[in-house]
Amino acid sequence: MAVRSAAGQLAGELRETIEGEVRFDAGSRALYATDLSIYRQVPIGVVVPRTVEDVVATVAVCRRHGAPILARGCGSSLVGQTTNVAVVIDFSKFLNRIVELDPDRRLARVEPGVICDQLRDAAEEHRLTFGPDPATHRYCTLGGMIGNNSCGVHSVMAGRTADNIEELDVLTHDGVRLRVGRTDDAELERLASAGGRPGEIYRGLRDLRDRYGGLVREKYPDIPRRVSGYNLDELLPERGFNVARALVGTESTCALVLEATVRLVPSPRHRTLAVVAYHDQFAAADDVLAILEHGPIGLEAVDETVTRNMLEADLLADDVALYPPGGAWLLAEFGADSESEAIDRARGLEAALTKRNGGASTVEIVSDGEGQRRIWAVREAAIGASRIPGKLETWPSFEDAAVPPERLGGYLRDFTKLLGRHGLPCVFFGHYGQGCVHARIGFDLKSEPGVRTFLRFLDEATDLVLSYGGSLSGEHGDGQAHAHHLVKMFGPDLMEAMRAFKRLWDPDWKMNPGKVIDAYAPDENLRDGPDYHPPALNTYFSFREDGSSFARAAARCFGVGKCRSLAGAMCPSFQATREEMHTTRGRAHLLFELLKGDPLDGGWHDAHVKEALDLCLACKACKAECPVNVDMATYKAEFLAHYYEDRRRPAAAYTFGRLDRWAHLAERAPDLTNLFARLPGARKTLGIAPERTLPRFARETFRAWFERRGPRGDGAPVLLWPDTFNDHFRPRTASAAVEVLEAAGFRVQLPRARVCCGRPLYDYGMLSLARRYLERTLAVLRDELRTEMPVVVLEPSCAAVFRDELPNLLPDDEDARRLAAQTHLLAGFLREHAPEFAPSELGGRAVLHGHCHQNALFGLDADQELLGRLVELDSPETGCCGMAGSFGYARENYAVSVACAERVLLPAVRAAPEALVVTDGFSCREQIEQLAGRPTMHLAEVLRAALSGTP
Ligand SMILES: Cc1cc2nc3c(=O)[nH]c(=O)nc-3n(C[C@H](O)[C@H](O)[C@H](O)COP(=O)(O)OP(=O)(O)OC[C@H]3O[C@@H](n4cnc5c(N)ncnc54)[C@H](O)[C@@H]3O)c2cc1C
């Protein structure tokens, strides 16, 4: 209690002092309690500085209060360095500007929150690049890369992050701000003779160099990937006494980086990939040196333990199919100024390997950009694919050791034997060109005996790496997992030197304490160790894929952070707000924390969790794009169902949630209902944003039209689902679908009674009602389902209910299984059941936008194929439109909704003023029409236009 009250005072003073955000509430602390590691420590609070001055002021206040601090970028670290009982300073939201990019001097000045690809994209405009590119390059930050001394595929070409840092602007906990870099002797003498703390630091560094230089030369392994330990070697005279590079890799334990000047290197204009397939990874490792002689700019490995998992988890299966047959692959990338030169280099390698290995390896040369991108996608997704929820749980900790590349084959053989002795499964991949092995090991961290095995294994594995002259970390840093064994690598004297180095920068031991130096033991602070026993909860959804356990579902996320990417469909609200709580990861962590119960103590009624879920658009992109298929839309609906168990929902829930009921009433007096919905009082009660226009009920519903007209033809019967949106608001779409289906040779019929899938109910967690809607639907459709009649659904979000929510709510119902399997979207149905259906070409252009649920569960291929035959088609990666049912209508969501649409979709629509805008989603159509003022068409309408020859 006293501790929290001290924290309260600290927070109060911070709020008075800085412009940025100060968050010491339980939700924010829970949110930042874990990274990608096996560890969890709840921070004191979180600060999100707006400016460098904010950082300086934050540190000053923390100093006065004796509070430890910890910097954070995107939090994708794997060994525990980004979690601590400290004040977390998150640089990613505001301090993310490229201050200057000087192509002539090949230098850039960046703030620490700049994303790796942000810099690489900017540099690429000048045919330059920032060399180190971790697999997380789409979202990891430069501050984090500097903190960890990160590396990547192109470290073969350009080295580690340390090798690419020219200068750093740093700040210590006791308030010293220095610009550090390479320091010649005269400068060093000048700086060392200065007074105060700066002079003390330089004198201390000089003494360390003089005292330990010999030992550093003797004991630091001379390998490309020595990342463990502090970079004391950078203080050696032959390295130019480079204080900036010495601080790289210190993982927030010495100083904060406020700005960095980084080196850029030429980026080859053309790249070609040689994919070399081997029988196993040992044979692959034995070839590394031979391949390096050909000068690749990247040399990576993927083992079959990765690709097997991907196939089992149905992750990137099409891309895995591009790999030639084999049990392990080396990906050798060649760069040159001309395409032919790059290909020639790859061919040179192919010839040499054929001569060297005979038929023991096969080489496939991939020179087209898209093919290369897909091959790399498999390698980059390897960490995500190291887990299959419910089947294989692997963990980071001993997973990035590096040995001399020439000894890699022997090391891997011995390492595999060691795993076998402990009975541990492992997934392998890595930067084999630099001797760095990623080994994701299936430790049992949930039981005491499992943890004992973990510790024994770490002990023996570190011995093994060191016997090969390697480094415990070749990439991810020491954090907590490796720190304990550093003494074996460096010996007690060098550990003392590192301790002295830290003390110079951080005399009060307040920078990320307990990490790297004098660290917690590898089995302390385990996130879900033997003492984690989450409660078994009654849930509405069955969560069968997670052993019928909500706790297991919530623990699916292990922190990869792909949802922090600013491209792709996942987490549209994060892309708009840059808030961790609006990522799939943040939300999943909060649900995990809800079960943990401390500091979050509100259970299903927790306001912090509710807040984080409020901006989830339930787009289901995570279900498709997240490497472990976290299904946040389902978790959100489940949470809301409990949250509202004993309280009233907002008025909108009873209107939008039960739209089908209102639509039924409106049928009798559509004009009156439209008028009523426009009354300011009604809009206010429903919380509608003033900028929004509510869709108008049509005078005649689709069903009424169909009843008047009746079915036609005698083809195979197909059931057309009259979803509420198209039935009541856009009946033209459904009537177009009838004509298209008839033209394709089918006889259309509608359900015998009024039905609704209940899609909007999920947005408000009305799950008991949703189940009743589904039971009624199954009762009405039973006969048709049992004759295997296909069900065509025009609205993707309704089709998604049948494919996704239905089997999860009624897992044992055979008819539910039938409906899930028999549900089609129009394009998919025509492709499967009428492949010969070919309306005549329309001509002109069209922009196609896929509804999120369509993208996540059905894919867009069939639509692209069909439309591609009729028009010149542009199908940009538009992500979520931002409307998402009633989400975008709500006053409080309007800004985020517009930001989502303005990211890619609306610019793409505006850039093609003559094009048809095609999308099947009712919400997407409303969003585009309201914000871009452009009419939209459902695929059914485009097909009908093609049939009649009039666009
Ligand atoms: C799927 C996956 C693949 C990965 N692949 C690679 C890979 O190929 N190569 C690789 O090297 N790593 C890899 N990593 C690890 C990680 O992504 C990298 O180390 C990355 O550079 C960390 O960046 P971040 O922004 O997430 O940093 P964070 O995790 O937030 O921070 C990393 C460290 O830097 C410190 N730090 C952050 N900002 C500052 C600052 N301003 N001043 C001082 N210290 C700071 C933090 O305190 C922490 O100690 C991978 C991780 C994942 C999840």
Side-chain angles (χ1 to χ4, degrees):
M1 202 59 192
V3 175
R4 283 318 298 158
S5 107
Q9 286 171 17
L10 169 59
E13 199 174 325
L14 282 168
R15 274 189 204 105
E16 280 165 20
T17 315
I18 71 164
E19 202 192 320
E21 298 163 16
V22 178
R23 306 176 185 168
F24 278 49
D25 58 285
S28 302
R29 293 171 59 230
L31 190 63
Y32 285 77
T34 48
D35 45 17
L36 186 80
S37 70
I38 58 177
Y39 303 110
R40 171 183 180 272
Q41 287 180 278
V42 179
I44 298 169
V46 179
V47 172
V48 187
R50 273 185 190 274
T51 59
V52 166
E53 291 68 39
D54 266 0
V55 181
V56 176
T58 299
V59 172
V61 174
C62 288
R63 181 166 62 248
R64 281 201 290 282
H65 286 257
I69 57 176
L70 159 68
R72 180 157 160 145
C74 128
S76 66
S77 289
L78 296 123
V79 280
Q81 62 270 59
T82 331
T83 149
N84 214 330
V85 183
V87 174
V88 174
I89 304 176
D90 182 341
F91 285 85
S92 67
K93 185 172 172 186
F94 296 118
L95 288 168
N96 48 28
R97 277 183 321 134
I98 298 173
V99 183
E100 186 187 353
L101 198 155
D102 183 341
D104 298 329
R105 294 171 63 217
R106 294 184 181 163
L107 291 176
R109 276 170 57 211
V110 295
E111 291 182 338
V114 164
I115 292 173
C116 180
D117 269 7
Q118 188 185 340
L119 175 62
R120 293 204 316 158
D121 291 348
E124 203 59 55
E125 287 175 21
H126 308 279
R127 295 217 201 107
L128 296 170
T129 190
F130 184 66
D133 49 351
T136 45
H137 54 90
R138 286 187 190 81
Y139 44 96
C140 73
T141 65
L142 262 296
M145 292 176 70
I146 293 166
N148 285 351
N149 196 6
S150 297
C151 314
V153 172
H154 298 104
S155 290
V156 170
M157 167 176 89
R160 304 161 305 166
T161 297
D163 307 316
N164 294 277
I165 296 297
E166 291 297 315
E167 264 187 12
L168 294 178
D169 177 3
V170 297
L171 175 71
T172 65
H173 190 270
D174 61 351
V176 181
R177 187 161 171 190
L178 294 174
R179 188 165 274 279
V180 295
R182 206 179 159 91
T183 325
D184 64 27
D185 287 348
E187 180 69 354
L188 176 57
E189 288 318 311
R190 190 184 68 75
L191 291 164
S193 58
R197 281 278 292 134
E200 187 184 315
I201 291 173
Y202 275 99
R203 280 194 299 282
L205 293 174
R206 185 186 57 191
D207 292 350
L208 277 179
R209 176 198 67 185
D210 295 343
R211 182 154 176 212
Y212 292 103
L215 209 51
V216 169
R217 287 190 192 93
E218 185 192 321
K219 288 255 186 182
Y220 271 53
D222 185 16
I223 57 174
R225 286 296 190 97
R226 196 273 310 151
V227 167
S228 272
Y230 290 156
N231 293 342
L232 297 185
D233 52 344
E234 295 291 354
L235 298 178
L236 294 173
E238 57 271 32
R239 293 281 180 88
F241 200 84
N242 197 323
V243 180
R245 293 185 181 185
L247 281 171
V248 173
T250 52
E251 303 176 21
S252 235
T253 60
C254 293
L256 295 181
V257 174
L258 303 180
E259 188 186 284
T261 305
V262 304
R263 188 170 75 107
L264 304 172
V265 296
S267 173
R269 285 179 80 176
H270 295 275
R271 294 167 192 236
T272 286
L273 196 56
V275 185
V276 193
Y278 294 89
H279 176 262
D280 57 35
Q281 62 162 341
F282 310 128
D286 292 340
D287 259 6
V288 160
L289 278 199
I291 296 179
L292 285 174
E293 279 172 20
H294 292 259
I297 58 171
L299 181 54
E300 298 286 298
V302 175
D303 181 61
E304 65 177 349
T305 43
V306 172
T307 51
R308 256 199 324 253
N309 285 356
M310 285 185 165
L311 294 179
E312 187 159 346
D314 197 17
L315 182 72
L316 301 179
D318 292 347
D319 300 336
V320 170
L322 298 178
Y323 279 56
W329 298 265
L330 288 179
L331 313 179
E333 187 182 69
F334 292 92
D337 281 340
S338 75
E339 189 177 2
S340 59
E341 200 184 334
I343 294 175
D344 283 352
R345 287 190 188 168
R347 292 231 169 89
L349 172 71
E350 182 179 24
L353 288 183
T354 309
K355 197 161 155 207
R356 179 181 155 95
N357 297 334
S361 61
T362 50
V363 181
E364 187 142 323
I365 295 174
V366 185
S367 53
D368 71 293
E370 178 58 11
Q372 293 183 52
R373 189 196 62 71
R374 291 176 59 189
I375 300 270
W376 281 123
V378 172
R379 164 63 188 88
E380 287 181 0
I383 285 192
S386 66
R387 265 193 169 207
I388 310 181
K391 291 189 182 144
L392 174 66
E393 271 196 346
T394 62
W395 299 101
S397 55
F398 189 86
E399 62 152 27
D400 64 323
V403 296
E406 62 275 17
R407 303 190 67 189
L408 184 61
Y411 168 71
L412 277 174
R413 287 176 179 90
D414 284 344
F415 186 67
T416 306
K417 282 184 207 147
L418 178 63
L419 287 162
R421 281 202 294 281
H422 288 279
L424 292 168
C426 183
V427 176
F428 285 100
F429 53 99
H431 311 278
Y432 284 15
Q434 295 202 306
C436 178
V437 177
H438 287 322
R440 302 281 298 198
I441 302 171
F443 297 116
D444 163 18
L445 298 176
K446 294 192 164 95
S447 75
E448 297 288 355
V451 172
R452 282 198 292 277
T453 303
F454 166 67
L455 293 176
R456 267 200 311 277
F457 177 84
L458 288 188
D459 199 28
E460 291 172 34
T462 45
D463 284 345
L464 180 66
V465 174
L466 298 177
S467 75
Y468 272 88
S471 172
L472 305 186
S473 169
E475 183 160 277
H476 296 155
D478 294 319
Q480 183 174 335
H482 291 308
H484 183 74
H485 292 103
L486 286 181
V487 63
K488 287 207 265 184
M489 179 170 167
F490 293 103
D493 291 343
L494 280 179
M495 287 312 294
E496 190 44 46
M498 291 186 210
R499 197 170 288 114
F501 181 85
K502 173 171 165 75
R503 209 177 291 118
L504 276 175
W505 295 102
D506 179 26
D508 301 323
W509 223 257
K510 296 290 182 192
M511 296 291 301
N512 206 6
K515 309 290 161 153
V516 187
I517 303 295
D518 297 340
Y520 297 104
D523 61 337
E524 279 181 86
N525 314 320
L526 290 178
R527 186 171 100 114
D528 41 7
D531 56 356
Y532 178 53
H533 302 291
L537 301 168
N538 288 328
T539 54
Y540 294 84
F541 286 109
S542 64
F543 297 105
R544 284 279 163 89
E545 287 179 1
D546 293 290
S548 303
S549 159
F550 180 74
R552 276 217 226 153
R556 253 179 195 246
C557 170
F558 66 112
V560 164
K562 195 178 168 197
C563 44
R564 284 188 61 107
S565 174
L566 296 179
M570 212 173 0
C571 283
S573 46
F574 169 74
Q575 291 170 354
T577 65
R578 296 265 195 131
E579 282 288 340
E580 173 71 15
M581 77 165 153
H582 296 141
T583 60
T584 304
R585 178 178 81 173
R587 293 173 177 130
H589 279 171
L590 283 178
L591 288 167
F592 168 83
E593 292 287 335
L594 174 156
L595 296 165
K596 199 96 180 167
D598 179 22
L600 288 188
D601 57 6
W604 287 123
H605 292 110
D606 198 282
H608 301 287
V609 182
K610 164 84 168 36
E611 185 193 359
L613 290 171
D614 273 344
L615 279 197
C616 166
L617 288 94
C619 66
K620 293 185 189 276
C622 48
K623 191 166 171 125
E625 286 190 10
C626 162
V628 280
N629 309 109
V630 165
D631 183 2
M632 195 48 64
T634 300
Y635 307 171
K636 176 180 179 178
E638 183 71 46
F639 173 84
L640 289 179
H642 299 280
Y643 181 83
Y644 285 118
E645 248 155 19
D646 51 7
R647 64 179 83 180
R648 242 189 110 64
R649 291 178 166 81
Y654 304 99
T655 329
F656 293 125
R658 306 213 60 189
L659 187 64
D660 63 307
R661 297 277 102 195
W662 292 100
H664 185 36
L665 290 176
E667 226 170 290
R668 292 191 202 123
D671 290 343
L672 198 63
T673 318
N674 287 332
L675 194 68
F676 175 76
R678 271 157 187 72
L679 293 178
R683 292 177 61 98
K684 194 163 173 227
T685 313
L686 295 177
I688 309 287
E691 299 83 351
R692 286 293 182 197
T693 314
L694 287 171
R696 297 178 72 85
F697 288 101
R699 289 228 167 108
E700 184 181 44
T701 64
F702 159 67
R703 275 177 306 99
W705 171 85
F706 192 79
E707 242 166 62
R708 253 194 314 114
R709 172 190 183 268
R712 292 190 186 158
D714 54 3
V718 58
L719 193 97
L720 182 62
W721 178 259
D723 66 88
T724 304
F725 307 106
N726 285 308
D727 187 17
H728 291 271
F729 297 105
R730 292 189 186 258
R732 270 173 53 85
T733 299
S735 60
V738 171
E739 289 172 32
V740 169
L741 287 166
E742 285 171 354
F746 299 94
R747 181 180 169 83
V748 175
Q749 67 182 65
L750 304 190
R752 270 168 271 175
R754 177 185 291 278
V755 273
C756 171
C757 71
R759 158 54 66 207
L761 298 169
Y762 298 88
D763 294 344
Y764 302 98
M766 299 161 107
L767 295 186
S768 302
L769 201 54
R771 185 182 312 191
R772 289 209 293 280
Y773 271 50
L774 289 172
E775 284 163 350
R776 179 175 150 71
T777 295
L778 293 177
V780 172
L781 302 191
R782 182 153 296 131
D783 292 346
E784 287 82 358
L785 290 175
R786 290 182 184 180
T787 59
E788 297 186 3
M789 191 183 297
V791 181
V792 171
V793 183
L794 299 173
E795 167 56 38
S797 62
C798 300
V801 171
F802 296 152
R803 270 283 167 90
D804 197 22
E805 277 90 355
L806 170 65
N808 204 350
L809 275 177
L810 301 172
D812 299 316
D813 189 311
E814 276 303 300
D815 290 318
R817 197 190 48 71
R818 288 190 183 96
L819 180 53
Q822 285 161 232
T823 294
H824 302 268
L825 291 176
L826 181 62
F829 172 76
L830 290 172
R831 179 162 73 174
E832 194 177 324
H833 293 269
E836 70 294 342
F837 175 64
S840 45
E841 199 178 317
L842 263 179
R845 287 182 64 195
V847 175
L848 173 67
H849 162 73
H851 182 285
C852 294
H853 292 175
Q854 180 173 8
N855 292 334
L857 299 171
F858 299 86
L860 213 52
D861 310 4
D863 298 68
Q864 286 164 336
E865 225 174 83
L866 249 179
L867 280 168
R869 285 191 237 136
L870 308 181
V871 288
E872 193 187 320
L873 187 65
D874 189 10
S875 183
E877 288 211 2
T878 43
C880 179
C881 74
M883 189 64 109
S886 60
F887 177 92
Y889 288 98
R891 198 182 299 119
E892 65 276 15
N893 298 338
Y894 180 74
V896 169
S897 170
V898 174
C900 293
E902 286 291 356
R903 209 177 54 83
V904 180
L905 174 60
L906 296 184
V909 167
R910 290 190 198 108
E914 306 302 326
L916 300 178
V917 181
V918 185
T919 181
D920 287 359
F922 176 77
S923 321
C924 316
R925 297 183 69 176
E926 287 295 319
Q927 180 79 321
I928 295 167
E929 291 179 7
Q930 294 195 18
L931 297 183
R934 285 276 290 281
T936 58
M937 292 175 95
H938 189 284
L939 173 73
E941 292 168 297
V942 182
L943 293 176
R944 178 170 61 182
L947 287 173
S948 66
T950 46

